[in-house]
């Protein structure tokens, strides 16, 4: 007797969901069942939003953020400071920085971080467009590296600092230290080391 | 100056993804970026598989598994044993049991488990169709409860055993004990208690 299996349409859906980052085989099955059997699920609306987003959004050729046919909300805003370019890993990193309200310059999304284990090398990052932006600027540009403080973020920051040396810009990076609201008893040794190394006169 | 935000199509997609079970706001953003910017992503194919699955699949009115216009692969198979009905929580629980090759009867998917905290009460489960199946049978049916061994699974099993008492069926439940390949040093106290309680002569 043949083992029972999902109908093909369900198997195809599960395979598609399994491809998404962070979704394993079990989660994909669970999501597929929920989509098909939960009264609150609306798979057709989700399908439509996928099609709409795919058809109307492309990465901005300049900064790498999401652009529509109307252009890029970041690059086209005349009130932003052209002399500051904040380099982030992903387009999603822009929003937390925007919410902080502490930065009013331009952004540049690399589209990843250096990671030999995941086979991400400098050629896979949007570094040439960054160099072109700096060349095209009128000098005096500050490139602010706002990359993660994990190993890959550190490696990417070091690599960028190296190739930006001697170019038409200064390079800074965001501070590492105690997070807001965090007590010393919860901070790990590396965070405290960096907080001490980055101390400033009061 | 207005804070930069995602274009509306991206926000809509993120909102749709955030609804899926087990997907939080951060995962939804990460998946949306991946879908829109990774060359390996195919959001249009995913959208199509959602539409196809939604339009071609519905729960089998009898057993609750996935059925197509061609019927239900479980209920329509004439070689399965009608005298055994294995009760599971979700349609996804059928496949692991099928892969084990140890069961060749019929299935009944409840569509959930009793959980007062999640407001799932007996009326939300597919219990009346189960009772109808037992009534319609020719007696001598074994109802095998194959529910999870968490608190909700236990509660559901106890509830079902109670309402099935005196009906035209016997009720059994799958064994709880040491998992295959598991050493005693990794087993928790409750597992060992149940393994001891369920001991059988050798």
């Amino acid at each position: 007797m043949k083992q029972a299996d999902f109908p093909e349409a369900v198997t195809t859906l599960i395979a598609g969901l399994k491809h998404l980052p962070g979704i394993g085989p079990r989660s994909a099955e669970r999501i597929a069942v929920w989509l098909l059997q939960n009264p609150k699920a609306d798979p057709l609306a989700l399908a439509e939003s996928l099609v709409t987003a795919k058809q109307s959004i492309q990465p901005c050729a300049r900064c790498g953020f999401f652009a529509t046919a109307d252009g890029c909300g970041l690059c086209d805003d005349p009130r932003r400071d052209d002399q500051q370019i904040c380099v982030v890993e992903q387009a999603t990193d822009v929003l937390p920085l925007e919410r902080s309200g502490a930065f009013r310059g331009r952004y540049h999304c690399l589209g990843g971080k250096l990671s030999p284990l995941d086979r991400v090398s400098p050629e896979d990052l949007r570094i040439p467009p960054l160099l072109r932006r700096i060349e095209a600027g009128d000098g005096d540009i500050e490139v602010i590296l706002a990359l993660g403080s994990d190993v890959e973020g550190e490696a990417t920051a070091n690599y960028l600092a190296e190739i930006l040396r001697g170019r038409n810009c200064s390079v800074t990076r965001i501070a590492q230290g105690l997070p807001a609201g965090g007590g010393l008893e919860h901070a790990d040794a590396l965070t405290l080391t960096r907080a001490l190394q980055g101390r400033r006169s009061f």
Side-chain angles (χ1 to χ4, degrees), chain A:
Chain A
M1 180 161 53
K2 207 174 113 293
Q3 273 184 22
D5 202 349
F6 293 130
E8 198 194 331
V10 181
T11 313
T12 309
L13 176 59
I14 291 172
L17 292 168
K18 215 158 47 182
H19 260 115
L20 303 178
I23 309 281
R26 298 291 303 155
S27 301
E29 282 189 2
R30 200 156 58 97
I31 292 172
V33 170
W34 184 87
L35 280 166
L36 293 173
Q37 300 198 335
N38 193 299
K40 275 177 282 178
D42 192 346
L44 299 183
L46 181 59
E48 198 187 314
S49 66
L50 280 162
V51 173
T52 307
K54 178 63 184 174
Q55 288 175 344
S56 67
I57 306 289
Q58 63 282 334
C60 171
R62 190 174 163 81
C63 75
F65 191 67
F66 299 114
T68 64
D70 298 333
C72 169
L74 291 172
C75 290
D76 298 348
D77 189 336
R79 288 158 305 179
R80 290 191 170 265
D81 183 355
D82 285 324
Q83 301 309 108
Q84 291 187 317
I85 300 180
C86 180
V87 177
V88 295
E89 288 165 19
Q90 295 286 356
T92 37
D93 296 333
V94 168
L95 260 58
L97 286 164
E98 283 295 294
R99 284 185 208 117
S100 78
F103 181 69
R104 287 305 177 214
R106 305 289 178 183
Y107 288 93
H108 190 86
C109 309
L110 289 175
K113 52 190 175 182
L114 294 180
S115 173
L117 285 179
D118 301 319
R119 297 201 188 145
V120 180
S121 59
E123 299 81 59
D124 300 311
L125 304 182
R126 297 184 63 259
I127 297 174
L130 175 62
L131 301 181
R132 282 198 294 275
R133 290 178 74 175
I134 294 167
E135 293 301 321
D138 58 357
D140 231 20
I141 288 180
E142 179 185 0
V143 175
I144 303 170
L145 304 178
L147 304 167
S149 53
D150 52 351
V151 178
E152 294 89 358
E154 295 280 327
T156 312
N158 288 330
Y159 180 85
L160 284 177
E162 189 63 41
I163 62 166
L164 291 176
R165 182 176 298 165
R167 290 186 191 253
N168 203 10
C169 63
S170 62
V171 181
T172 60
R173 74 185 291 186
I174 58 170
Q176 296 184 21
L178 215 57
L184 258 73
E185 72 273 32
H186 300 303
D188 60 294
L190 190 57
T191 298
L192 286 177
T193 303
R194 288 178 177 163
L196 277 168
Q197 287 169 343
R199 69 190 182 277
R200 304 202 302 188
S201 60
F202 193 69

